[in-house]
Amino acid sequence: MESIATREAYGNALAKLGTRDDIIVLDADLSQSTKTIEFQKVNPSHFFNVGIAEQNLMGIAAGIATTGKIPFASTFAIFAAGRGFEVIRNSIAYPKLNVKIVATHSGLTVGEDGGSHEAIEDISIMRSIPNMTVIVPADGIETEKVIEAIVEYNGPVYVRLGRPKIPVLFENDYKFEIGKHPILKTGDSVTIVACGIMVAKALKVAEKLTAEGINAEVINASTIKPFDDETLLASVKKTGCVVTAEEHSILGGLGGAVCELLAREYPVPVVSIGVQDVFGESGSPDALLEKYGLTEKCIYEGTMKALMKKQGRRGRD
């Protein structure tokens, strides 16, 4: 199966936008890593390296947006969502400026860079800000479609990308729509909702479950905010239980969004697969995903737990 890092797909998508006069790309001295350098190669007059100064990165992006241009501001997720938070909140989201924040190197798969660089809280931080749209693509194709879509959307957007290569799941004609969650596999036994790198793992788990006679429905929740309430509610009304899977803290991210919705509208058993409210550490991406419980085996075990909870609930009824 072909693999490409979502940050590489981002660089390719930006390069395709290089002929547009309204696109401005900003970076915080990480363009080789974030891949914004691909845009710089085709349109250097519209690219600016602001240096290691993420607050300024966001402030400059806000200022450029007031001129009618569309700024893309990129750095590592830990610096974008963390160091730039107050400027993003007050100077970008509050006035609802048309700034696209594309953060790379998110989650545990930053790997050897260690816990200080592993953003496992950024989805939670960004989705709590009013007016902010939050998107986590599942592969390189979806990343390119996301970049095309957010250029046409007027408002602040946070896009979360990763460092390592991941499997390509979608075809080139894949259609992405902000706020819509595609169902990648239909089923009626259990709903598995995943985002980012966990989508490919969820699909593999669904294959294993099918072989065991368990028909799981798999939803790609690439838009964390606004959440596709309609698709999730329709699914859980069939299946009666949910497993969430994300390369992020279980607090405030995808799992939080799912639990908030279901608690309000249709309470069912939920099992959350993610980082269990601890910091990460240095190691290979695969070793970290294993240690912190973000593997196919963990999704499978979570599915069994969700099914048992559903069965127990029916027993009490």
Side-chain angles (χ1 to χ4, degrees):
M1 179 180 288
E2 182 187 359
S3 296
I4 182 174
T6 50
R7 62 184 171 122
E8 295 178 28
Y10 170 49
N12 295 338
L14 279 182
K16 292 177 183 176
L17 295 171
T19 57
R20 287 184 55 154
D21 185 58
D22 58 345
I23 303 293
I24 305 293
V25 175
L26 308 169
D27 202 286
D29 208 29
L30 289 167
S31 61
Q32 291 276 5
S33 298
T34 63
K35 301 303 179 185
T36 58
I37 193 171
E38 300 304 324
F39 179 89
Q40 183 186 21
K41 290 175 183 175
V42 298
N43 197 350
S45 67
H46 283 56
F47 175 87
F48 300 93
N49 178 5
V50 307
I52 305 171
E54 288 76 13
Q55 299 97 324
N56 289 342
L57 173 73
M58 300 306 171
I60 293 168
I64 290 173
T66 64
T67 71
K69 302 289 187 184
I70 305 173
F72 279 74
S74 289
T75 183
F76 288 4
I78 191 69
F79 306 127
R83 197 168 294 167
F85 168 75
E86 187 270 335
V87 184
I88 293 171
R89 179 188 185 278
N90 288 339
S91 299
I92 294 175
Y94 197 177
K96 202 176 180 181
L97 293 178
N98 194 22
V99 175
K100 316 307 176 186
I101 302 164
V102 183
T104 67
H105 295 68
S106 63
L108 293 174
T109 49
V110 173
E112 289 81 357
D113 286 356
S116 64
H117 282 55
E118 291 164 1
I120 53 175
E121 315 88 352
D122 56 320
I123 297 175
S124 176
I125 293 169
M126 288 295 117
R127 70 177 282 262
S128 69
I129 302 175
N131 295 332
M132 184 63 74
T133 293
V134 181
I135 303 173
V136 186
D139 77 347
I141 297 292
E142 187 169 45
T143 299
E144 291 206 31
K145 303 298 182 181
V146 165
I147 301 305
E148 293 171 4
I150 65 175
V151 167
E152 303 304 323
Y153 170 77
N154 185 16
V157 179
Y158 179 81
V159 181
R160 184 186 206 242
L161 305 179
R163 181 184 202 177
K165 293 182 183 296
I166 58 174
V168 174
L169 302 176
F170 304 117
E171 303 292 335
N172 286 325
D173 61 355
Y174 171 74
K175 305 293 185 186
F176 170 81
E177 185 177 352
I178 295 173
K180 296 297 182 184
H181 293 168
I183 297 174
L184 304 185
K185 178 187 174 304
T186 58
D188 56 11
S189 298
V190 57
T191 300
I192 304 176
V193 188
C195 65
I197 67 168
M198 302 302 282
V199 175
K201 298 179 190 298
L203 286 170
K204 287 188 176 179
V205 170
E207 287 180 12
K208 176 179 172 63
L209 291 168
T210 297
E212 297 175 2
I214 300 170
N215 194 16
E217 184 148 287
V218 179
I219 297 175
N220 173 25
S222 48
T223 306
I224 305 294
K225 182 187 175 185
F227 203 80
D228 187 350
D229 297 1
E230 183 179 351
T231 295
L232 181 62
L233 289 172
S235 180
V236 298
K237 287 176 182 177
K238 289 189 300 179
T239 65
C241 61
V242 179
V243 177
T244 66
E246 59 191 314
E247 187 197 5
H248 183 270
S249 169
I250 60 168
L251 304 176
L254 171 61
V258 168
C259 288
E260 290 162 17
L261 171 63
L262 296 180
R264 287 193 305 267
E265 302 292 341
Y266 196 80
V268 298
V270 178
V271 174
S272 298
I273 304 299
V275 181
Q276 303 292 313
D277 196 24
V278 294
F279 288 107
E281 60 186 280
S282 180
S284 72
D286 286 343
L288 293 174
L289 294 175
E290 177 76 28
K291 176 167 183 175
Y292 291 94
L294 278 71
T295 61
E296 292 167 25
K297 177 174 180 288
C298 295
I299 298 174
Y300 176 84
E301 292 174 349
T303 302
M304 294 297 108
K305 188 176 179 180
L307 289 167
M308 288 180 63
K309 285 186 173 184
K310 180 173 77 169
Q311 192 66 28
R313 177 175 170 166
R314 285 177 177 168
R316 288 196 298 275
D317 292 341

